[in-house]
């Protein structure tokens, strides 16, 4: 049986930071016109919570707004992101394709992401990632909203007994450890030093995975 490698998407394979500001600015421009938002777009706040489940993200960004407005904001944000992705205004991290091609020769690869299905599909289709990954798993496929449960679903469905989770946030590291897999932290745009110290290994470029 091939060993499995389970990758996070945002901040691990895909440089979400390139699209973050224009998509958030466009979303909060709409909120200023329709929902009484005042002040600057909370870009730095979003950077700090990148990788959190979407309900947590919008509760943090719009604490004074209703659940309905938060859900609508999330819809707008994803529409903006997907449009930018399909226009090739984003990018994979350096060496991503080379590394994925090499690793897929001897490992089965999966994606486990807190991103929505349509958002993940836009990235996969735009950058032709299906050639490397057996399956892409979104947090929307489980009811708990926890990355650990998503990784367990991947393990159970695919009879995985060894491998690693590669990601930039504590939720990825915990998902690995709670499921008996190796935790590899990537020290990229959204990574936090206090979270990465819990990883079994930390890399600074995807090429190190080979």
């Amino acid at each position: 049986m091939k060993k499995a490698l389970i990758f996070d998407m945002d901040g691990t394979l895909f440089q979400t930071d390139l699209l973050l500001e224009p998509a958030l600015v466009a979303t909060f421009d709409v909120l200023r016109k329709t929902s009484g938002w005042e002040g600057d777009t909370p870009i730095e706040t979003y950077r700090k919570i990148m990788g959190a489940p979407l309900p947590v993200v919008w509760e943090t960004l719009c604490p004074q707004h209703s659940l309905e407005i938060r859900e609508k904001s999330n819809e707008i944000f994803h529409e903006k992101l997907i449009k930018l992705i399909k226009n090739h205004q984003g990018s994979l991290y350096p060496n991503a394709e080379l590394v994925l091609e090499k690793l897929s020769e001897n490992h089965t690869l999966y994606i486990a992401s807190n991103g929505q299905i349509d958002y993940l599909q836009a990235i996969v289709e735009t950058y032709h990632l299906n050639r490397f990954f057996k399956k892409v798993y979104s947090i929307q496929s489980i009811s708990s909203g926890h990355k650990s449960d998503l990784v367990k679903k991947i393990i159970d469905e695919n009879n995985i007994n060894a491998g690693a989770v590669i990601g930039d946030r504590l939720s990825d590291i915990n998902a690995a450890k709670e499921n008996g897999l190796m935790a590899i932290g990537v020290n990229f745009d959204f990574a936090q030093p206090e979270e990465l110290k819990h990883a079994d290994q930390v890399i600074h470029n995807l090429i190190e995975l080979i």
Side-chain angles (χ1 to χ4, degrees):
M1 176 181 175
K2 291 183 178 180
K3 291 184 178 179
L5 298 178
I6 302 172
F7 285 82
D8 176 45
M9 179 66 86
D10 291 309
T12 299
L13 291 174
F14 186 67
Q15 296 189 63
T16 317
D17 202 36
L18 298 176
L19 308 182
L20 179 63
E21 185 167 344
L24 267 184
V25 167
T27 301
F28 278 86
D29 282 346
V30 174
L31 291 180
R32 289 184 185 93
K33 296 174 183 176
T34 63
S35 305
W37 176 268
E38 297 180 358
D40 296 332
T41 300
I43 294 171
E44 289 306 318
T45 300
Y46 188 77
R47 291 181 195 278
K48 293 176 183 176
I49 59 173
M50 187 69 187
L54 291 170
V56 174
V57 167
W58 289 102
E59 182 179 355
T60 304
L61 296 181
C62 302
Q64 306 302 321
H65 289 72
S66 67
L67 177 60
E68 181 181 359
I69 291 176
R70 291 173 191 164
E71 290 177 347
K72 182 60 178 177
S73 300
N74 183 57
E75 290 176 12
I76 296 168
F77 181 55
H78 277 80
E79 288 172 3
K80 305 295 184 184
L81 281 174
I82 290 170
K83 183 177 180 179
L84 291 168
I85 291 166
K86 290 183 176 180
N87 286 338
H88 293 269
Q89 291 177 250
S91 180
L92 299 176
Y93 277 98
N95 300 310
E97 292 187 64
L98 182 156
V99 169
L100 293 174
E101 182 175 11
K102 184 67 176 178
L103 292 177
S104 64
E105 293 175 2
N106 296 300
H107 302 76
T108 307
L109 309 186
Y110 302 89
I111 289 174
S113 171
N114 282 335
Q116 293 184 178
I117 295 169
D118 54 350
Y119 166 74
L120 295 172
Q121 197 59 38
I123 298 173
V124 168
E125 290 177 358
T126 300
Y127 296 96
H128 310 291
L129 297 182
N130 276 330
R131 56 198 156 129
F132 307 126
F133 289 95
K134 181 176 180 181
K135 190 170 180 179
V136 177
Y137 287 81
S138 164
I139 202 72
Q140 287 181 305
S141 68
I142 58 167
S143 59
S144 70
H146 295 302
K147 179 67 78 73
S148 293
D149 292 336
L150 183 60
V151 169
K152 185 177 188 304
K153 176 184 175 75
I154 297 173
I155 290 171
D156 291 345
E157 287 188 359
N158 299 281
N159 298 313
I160 295 167
N161 55 23
V165 176
I166 300 98
D168 63 324
R169 300 309 303 264
L170 186 60
S171 60
D172 303 302
I173 294 167
N174 287 340
K177 291 180 174 291
E178 291 172 15
N179 286 287
L181 301 180
M182 183 178 184
I184 301 177
V186 296
N187 190 16
F188 297 164
D189 297 309
F190 304 109
Q192 303 293 321
E194 64 273 16
E195 296 182 358
L196 289 178
K197 69 182 181 182
H198 298 286
D200 296 309
Q201 297 285 339
V202 176
I203 63 172
H204 304 274
N205 188 302
L206 289 172
I207 200 73
E208 296 173 56
L209 288 173
I210 296 177

